[in-house]
Amino acid sequence: MWTEDYRPETLSAFKGSSKTVNEVKNWVEDWSRGQKQRCLLLHGPPGVGKTSLVHALANDLDRDVFETNASEARTRQDVEDKLEQAAKQMSFSGKQKLILVDEVDGMGSGDRGGTRVINRVIKETRFPIILTANDAYDSSIRSIRNACKVVELGNVHTNSVAARLRDICEEEGIEYEDGALKSIARRADGDMRSAINDLESVASAGSVTKEDVRTLGYRETERDIFEALKIVFKTTTAQTASGATDGLSEDHGEVFEWIRENVPKEYERERDVARAFDSLSKADVFRGRMMSRQDWALMKYVYSMMTVGVALAKDEKYSGWTRYGYPSRIRKMGQSKAAREKRKSIGEKIGEELHVSVSEATDMIPFLQILFEHEDWKANIVERLGLEEKEVEFIESF
Ligand SMILES: Nc1ncnc2c1ncn2[C@@H]1O[C@H](COP(=O)(O)OP(=O)(O)O)[C@@H](O)[C@H]1O
Ligand SMILES: [Mg+2]
């Protein structure tokens, strides 16, 4: 995972507003037991480097990080015990400590929530504590906000994202076009983690050119599909929802994947999610019939179930902003696209020679591989079928 390999180890590799970085740095350096704001709440959207910033900072200041992830800890007791100890004891190395409570908004609020513990620990701690959260106004944070210095880490600027992607390409020795990095950065919309993930999947094809970015299915017009999703998810009237997908360049299969991928991201109430998937399953049934019967009159039901059906699945709309994700299925299809195309072109060549269908012919590829072990036969077959070098490689590594 490149996101792990390229986690910034020092602040010099961290891309972000230096004003914000210095604010956090100064707070840690100036921290004393007597001060009022005894912990710092670092909040911002996913993937902008909240966790990384704390680690890089600790590294630069030569401090040990004690880290607990609130949403991963198995029990609240677990968080309590470890945190209380960490806040009281010096570290074994004798270094100063920096305590990180990651993703506090996953802790839950009230009496049962972990923030009660944090409140107690804040009073006793001998070391600065940094809390991170996506949502600074989450209910579990309310009770600790007053004891916190609140710092926002915003979206990473597109140019900084592109610059980081360039560093990674250089490091990996991968050929790239600046325009391609820019377009990956642009669609990540400030989320460095997803930009690096996207880069990694594009680069799996060997290079990062604009063409590679396109074959993976990233389109410049993608903004439109995000608009469509917003309409479907935020509206509660059939009339508005039914126009959501008008004019999209994506076909019904792609639109389906986009909506399917993002329903659970937007809808929170289980009943809404269930109803939305029920509609999607009906859209899928109509889609199957439409394709098998080639009966395009059914298209309107496919779209209605996807748009109106999903829109009306919720009792009321969800407020707030959702980061919609790229459908994992389309991503996988994109990655295997080159392979599928080679397979098809080989199939066509065999099919023509042997007078069989392409699908029958592709079934023969493993046999060709065996025949290829014999150099003479290989040469003969390659010439007779007119196979290109890439196709030969494909057969041999099949
Ligand atoms: N500002 C940044 N500068 C450099 N790399 C970053 C930055 N933000 C995120 N990353 C990359 O993305 C990955 C995820 O970042 P992370 O700190 O876990 O984000 P967050 O905690 O805000 O969700 C990191 O491992 C790193 O590779
Ligand atoms: Mg994090």
Side-chain angles (χ1 to χ4, degrees):
M1 289 261 291
W2 284 1
T3 48
E4 283 313 316
D5 298 345
Y6 293 98
R7 192 180 274 281
E9 280 179 9
T10 63
L11 289 178
S12 62
F14 186 84
K15 309 279 182 191
S17 127
S18 52
K19 188 170 154 271
T20 311
V21 171
N22 282 330
E23 212 178 335
V24 180
K25 189 174 173 206
N26 292 337
W27 180 84
V28 171
E29 283 182 316
D30 298 342
W31 190 90
S32 73
R33 281 189 87 169
Q35 78 186 61
K36 190 160 161 281
Q37 296 177 322
R38 296 162 67 76
C39 63
L40 183 145
L41 174 64
L42 187 61
H43 69 98
V48 298
K50 297 181 295 299
T51 309
S52 305
L53 174 58
V54 176
H55 284 279
L57 179 64
N59 225 348
D60 281 10
L61 297 177
D62 196 30
R63 283 171 182 252
D64 284 336
V65 177
F66 171 83
E67 175 173 358
T68 165
N69 186 314
S71 58
E72 277 170 16
R74 262 184 306 140
T75 63
R76 196 194 69 206
Q77 192 66 42
D78 213 37
V79 182
E80 288 187 19
D81 294 349
K82 292 195 178 133
L83 196 59
E84 287 206 291
Q85 267 189 17
K88 283 184 196 155
Q89 295 168 355
M90 286 302 291
S91 58
F92 290 119
S93 63
K95 283 187 195 170
Q96 286 292 325
K97 251 193 276 196
L98 184 57
I99 296 176
L100 166 62
V101 184
D102 216 2
E103 303 178 20
V104 266
D105 40 359
M107 289 182 105
S109 55
D111 243 14
R112 290 178 304 128
T115 45
R116 201 178 43 107
V117 192
I118 296 180
N119 250 323
R120 202 170 58 231
V121 173
I122 289 172
K123 296 196 183 88
E124 305 165 350
T125 185
R126 297 169 59 183
F127 309 100
I129 300 178
I130 298 183
L131 315 169
T132 75
N134 289 325
D135 180 3
Y137 296 95
D138 187 88
S139 58
S140 55
I141 294 168
R142 201 172 303 142
S143 66
I144 32 182
R145 267 184 78 97
N146 277 340
C148 293
K149 178 180 173 65
V150 180
V151 176
E152 180 175 9
L153 196 61
N155 281 345
V156 189
H157 195 279
T158 303
N159 289 337
S160 307
V161 174
R164 184 72 180 152
L165 299 182
R166 196 173 308 122
D167 293 346
I168 295 177
C169 287
E170 300 276 353
E171 186 77 25
E172 292 283 324
I174 284 170
E175 256 180 73
Y176 64 90
E177 284 173 13
D178 279 324
L181 301 185
K182 254 288 173 58
S183 101
I184 295 175
R186 216 177 302 123
R187 77 159 288 278
D189 199 18
D191 178 346
M192 184 76 94
R193 180 192 287 120
S194 74
I196 296 176
N197 280 333
D198 287 352
L199 178 72
E200 189 171 4
S201 38
V202 177
S204 66
S207 61
V208 185
T209 61
K210 284 204 113 169
E211 187 53 38
D212 296 322
V213 172
R214 252 194 306 277
T215 13
L216 263 185
Y218 297 105
R219 293 197 184 77
E220 292 297 336
T221 57
E222 230 170 57
R223 215 158 271 287
D224 301 343
I225 187 88
F226 288 111
E227 277 305 307
L229 290 179
K230 214 158 68 191
I231 296 171
V232 169
F233 289 138
K234 297 292 185 198
T235 190
T236 47
T237 69
Q239 207 185 3
T240 316
S242 71
T245 52
D246 291 351
L248 283 184
S249 59
E250 282 76 7
D251 67 20
H252 53 85
E254 290 170 306
V255 174
F256 182 87
E257 291 301 333
W258 276 98
I259 296 177
R260 193 182 63 120
E261 179 84 19
N262 290 293
V263 162
K265 295 202 163 78
E266 173 85 22
Y267 291 179
E268 288 161 17
R269 290 178 289 268
E270 283 170 8
R271 223 158 67 102
D272 293 354
V273 176
R275 282 189 295 220
F277 274 106
D278 195 40
S279 275
L280 283 176
S281 78
K282 287 184 184 126
D284 208 21
V285 170
F286 277 114
R287 214 149 56 94
R289 278 185 205 155
M290 174 178 81
M291 298 307 282
S292 67
R293 299 179 193 167
Q294 300 283 294
D295 180 357
W296 310 113
L298 296 177
M299 186 77 93
K300 53 183 174 292
Y301 303 113
V302 176
Y303 274 104
S304 300
M305 296 312 299
M306 290 197 291
T307 55
V308 180
V310 171
L312 299 188
K314 58 186 174 296
D315 287 326
E316 52 190 283
K317 79 169 185 184
Y318 293 89
S319 61
W321 180 80
T322 309
R323 185 186 297 281
Y324 300 128
Y326 196 87
S328 46
R329 232 191 105 144
I330 300 185
R331 194 193 295 271
K332 289 202 193 97
M333 298 287 284
Q335 280 170 342
S336 60
K337 190 172 172 208
R340 275 183 287 127
E341 277 173 357
K342 251 177 259 154
R343 192 189 162 105
K344 183 158 165 259
S345 72
I346 296 169
E348 282 166 357
K349 287 177 180 172
I350 301 175
E352 197 169 314
E353 195 65 29
L354 300 184
H355 305 286
V356 295
S357 71
V358 175
S359 80
E360 269 177 281
T362 47
D363 285 346
M364 296 177 190
I365 294 178
F367 300 110
L368 281 191
Q369 189 189 29
I370 296 168
L371 295 176
F372 275 16
E373 285 167 14
H374 199 291
E375 281 301 326
D376 292 346
W377 293 353
K378 176 177 162 186
N380 253 326
I381 295 169
V382 169
E383 192 184 316
R384 177 89 178 247
L385 294 181
L387 294 174
E388 287 164 23
E389 199 171 321
K390 279 206 169 142
E391 293 167 336
V392 175
E393 266 171 33
F394 180 81
I395 293 170
E396 288 183 321
S397 62
F398 195 73

